[in-house]
Amino acid sequence: MDVSGGSGQPRSDSPDPTEHRAGPTDARPDPADPRATTPTDQAEPPPETPQTTKPGETPKTPNPGETPETAVTPGTAETPEPAPTPRADAPRADAPRADDRPGPAQSGTAKGQPPRRPKEPGGGLLMGRPFGVPVYVAPSWFLVAALITWVFGGQLDRVLPELGAARYLVSLFFAIAFYASVLVHELAHTVAAIRFKLPVRRIQLQFFGGVSEIEKEAETPGREFVLAFVGPLLSLVLSGLFYLAMQPVEPGTVPGVLLAGLMVSNLIVAAFNLLPGLPLDGGRMLRAVVWKITGRPMSGTVAAAWVGRALAVSVLIGLPLLNHWGAFGGNTADSSGMDAVTDALLAAILAAIIWTGAGNSLRMARLREHLPELRARTLTRRAVPVETDTPLSEALRRANAAGARALVVVDADGTPLSLVREAAIVGVPEHRRPWVAVSGLAQDLTDGMRVSAELAGEDLLDVLRATPATEYLVVEETGEIYGVLSAADVERAFVRAMARPS
């Protein structure tokens, strides 16, 4: 977020997901075949009796799109797996926490079209959809509009005292026109993002300007630079247009005062956003330059984020001092103690926003750096196929013999039909397991629950978010069963990856 409304900072909490298709197997997999019984990367064997969390709990899939303040933190609760004695190279089983109802089906899990968005992003009052991107006005905008109306109205009283109470109506018009300029600034980022095929989640006008929420990063430093620069450039263009419009207008009139105010405000917006520190547009431009020089986007983010933090400290200390010394045209003799407190408060809020945005940029960059470590193939649990009428005790015996930790219910031809839920296994007393068929404990497979073994990073998280479930069937590109992926395993891998230093 930036004061001008021009950060255009990408979010990774909801990037456009990519779906993948994988057809069913043509024959029942052999439990000894590594494609049907999949090894994993941990060495701790599971205990004899499987345990899990209470049914009805919902797993949280790691979400890299949001700013870290709102991103979901994956859970770390552990639960043993259904298979008592897997091979030595099998990981320890941790039951997912979820309600076991299948999520809405999406078409496929291999390469294909992205799934539908579940709902609108929200964020305030919807004003329209220019270029197909929703524009929201946050509730905080009404507060800042009232503040601008009050402050600008006081200035109008000194310049145009004949207006009387009508000056506040003129001031309100100025506030709306100013935020319309901010919207143009944000639309510049949006159009550039669309041109580079980057999805834009929404534009939000808020207290200190606006934000264009771009869901993916630019692929090259050149595109990153252009994407950041177009916002301040449009603000400079607007400032020039308002200056030209002032020329035929008499200075002491309402139109003259409004045009002058809009010219100056857009010039301030452009200048402030060009400051070289994240999360401002200038910080993203600095990041692009360092990225180009070093070849590492993370190096650019670190440099621009620390400059942004230094900028926040400068704003906190320097802004009240400059205002006190009359650097902004104020009369220091007329300033009161309340004015000094107000200046200090606004500087503190602005500095906090810049400092927080710089920190968020560092955390998001770290997240993106570790995301490729999340690979479906390495996180998948070994699985054995069992037919629908197989007793649970016999299915668990086969899993133990094969060193597997998951059960896939198949038909007579070996086509996968459903996944046996760990939460359901725990609810069956051991003495009843010989009389309970696995089909009664299984969750029917939907297209969205078929995950390609080649998925990794954001693509993997996109597919899991599109269809929330506790377990997913992992398949090869040929459609053969590779194993079962637990949402809880992904969560723990995400936490471990984020705990490692960059």
Side-chain angles (χ1 to χ4, degrees):
M1 176 189 314
D2 61 69
V3 168
S4 78
S7 70
Q9 189 163 327
R11 293 170 53 98
S12 62
D13 60 335
S14 57
D16 273 357
T18 302
E19 267 187 62
H20 297 267
R21 287 194 199 68
T25 54
D26 297 329
R28 182 185 314 170
D30 182 356
D33 189 339
R35 292 172 300 182
T37 58
T38 306
T40 50
D41 59 350
Q42 303 179 26
E44 184 179 342
E48 176 68 24
T49 304
Q51 298 178 5
T52 185
T53 53
K54 295 182 288 186
E57 296 183 3
T58 305
K60 301 177 187 174
T61 303
N63 191 347
E66 302 173 2
T67 57
E69 285 75 11
T70 59
V72 175
T73 303
T76 57
E78 300 182 356
T79 314
E81 60 280 348
T85 55
R87 300 183 328 181
D89 63 347
R92 66 188 230 217
D94 298 280
R97 299 158 299 150
D99 107 11
D100 299 304
R101 295 169 295 177
Q106 303 291 341
S107 58
T109 55
K111 296 173 180 151
Q113 297 300 319
R116 297 182 299 273
R117 287 194 185 282
K119 61 181 180 179
E120 287 291 332
L125 180 64
L126 178 63
M127 301 301 294
R129 297 175 182 275
F131 306 102
V133 177
V135 176
Y136 291 92
V137 174
S140 60
W141 177 87
F142 296 96
L143 177 61
V144 75
L147 181 61
I148 292 175
T149 301
W150 177 261
V151 173
F152 194 68
Q155 295 176 348
L156 281 178
D157 190 36
R158 292 191 294 269
V159 179
L160 298 170
E162 65 274 11
L163 286 179
R167 66 182 183 274
Y168 293 110
L169 185 60
V170 176
S171 299
L172 178 60
F173 178 82
F174 170 79
I176 295 173
F178 170 69
Y179 267 84
S181 301
V182 172
L183 177 59
V184 172
H185 179 117
E186 297 303 329
L187 285 174
H189 291 301
T190 296
V191 172
I194 293 173
R195 174 67 178 81
F196 295 145
K197 301 187 185 322
L198 301 176
V200 182
R201 185 170 183 254
R202 67 178 178 179
I203 295 174
Q204 187 183 49
L205 301 179
Q206 47 192 234
F207 189 87
F208 270 109
V211 175
S212 298
E213 296 183 2
I214 303 172
E215 297 182 348
K216 290 185 180 295
E217 283 193 333
E219 297 176 353
T220 65
R223 290 187 174 185
E224 173 80 356
F225 188 92
V226 171
L227 188 60
F229 180 62
V230 290
L233 177 62
L234 256 292
S235 294
L236 287 173
V237 170
L238 286 176
S239 181
L241 291 176
F242 287 126
Y243 174 78
L244 293 177
M246 285 172 51
Q247 302 312 306
V249 178
E250 187 177 346
T253 62
V254 171
V257 172
L258 285 175
L259 289 172
L262 290 171
M263 180 199 70
V264 172
S265 61
N266 276 277
L267 190 60
I268 293 174
V269 164
F272 188 81
N273 271 275
L274 287 174
L275 292 176
L278 286 173
L280 304 176
D281 292 328
R284 297 189 63 200
M285 293 162 63
L286 174 62
R287 175 182 182 271
V289 171
V290 178
W291 177 3
K292 179 67 175 179
I293 294 173
T294 63
R296 296 187 67 247
M298 186 64 181
S299 298
T301 302
V302 171
W306 279 105
V307 172
R309 287 177 169 176
L311 180 63
V313 175
S314 301
V315 168
L316 179 64
I317 299 173
L319 196 59
L321 291 177
L322 290 174
N323 199 37
H324 177 72
W325 294 334
F328 301 114
N331 189 349
T332 57
D334 296 336
S335 61
S336 63
M338 184 58 67
D339 293 333
V341 171
T342 302
D343 293 340
L345 179 60
L346 291 177
I349 295 174
L350 185 56
I353 290 174
I354 297 174
W355 182 279
T356 302
N360 289 346
S361 299
L362 279 175
R363 283 188 288 271
M364 292 303 297
R366 183 180 175 190
L367 184 151
R368 290 190 182 94
E369 190 175 53
H370 289 306
L371 271 183
E373 301 174 18
L374 302 180
R375 306 188 62 84
R377 188 175 293 278
T378 57
L379 294 174
T380 297
R381 296 179 175 185
R382 182 180 297 273
V384 293
V386 292
E387 295 187 358
T388 56
D389 57 351
T390 304
L392 177 58
S393 59
E394 171 62 16
L396 292 178
R397 186 196 65 78
R398 295 182 191 177
N400 291 336
R405 300 170 48 211
L407 303 172
V408 179
V409 179
V410 299
D411 61 15
D413 297 324
T415 302
L417 302 175
S418 55
L419 302 177
V420 178
R421 299 168 294 138
E422 286 185 302
I425 294 176
V426 172
V428 180
E430 189 169 357
H431 68 276
R432 285 194 46 81
R433 292 178 180 178
W435 291 273
V436 176
V438 292
S439 58
L441 308 175
Q443 179 179 7
D444 291 337
L445 283 172
T446 64
D447 287 338
M449 292 171 61
R450 297 175 187 270
V451 176
S452 170
E454 303 304 323
L455 285 179
E458 283 193 45
D459 290 337
L460 174 61
L461 298 183
D462 288 340
V463 171
L464 301 192
R465 276 196 302 268
T467 307
T470 59
E471 293 97 2
Y472 299 83
L473 178 68
V474 180
V475 295
E476 296 282 11
E477 293 295 332
T478 59
E480 294 177 301
I481 297 174
Y482 186 78
V484 172
L485 177 66
S486 167
D489 290 344
V490 178
E491 292 174 6
R492 280 184 294 278
F494 181 87
V495 171
R496 289 195 300 270
M498 289 300 295
R500 287 193 290 271
S502 300

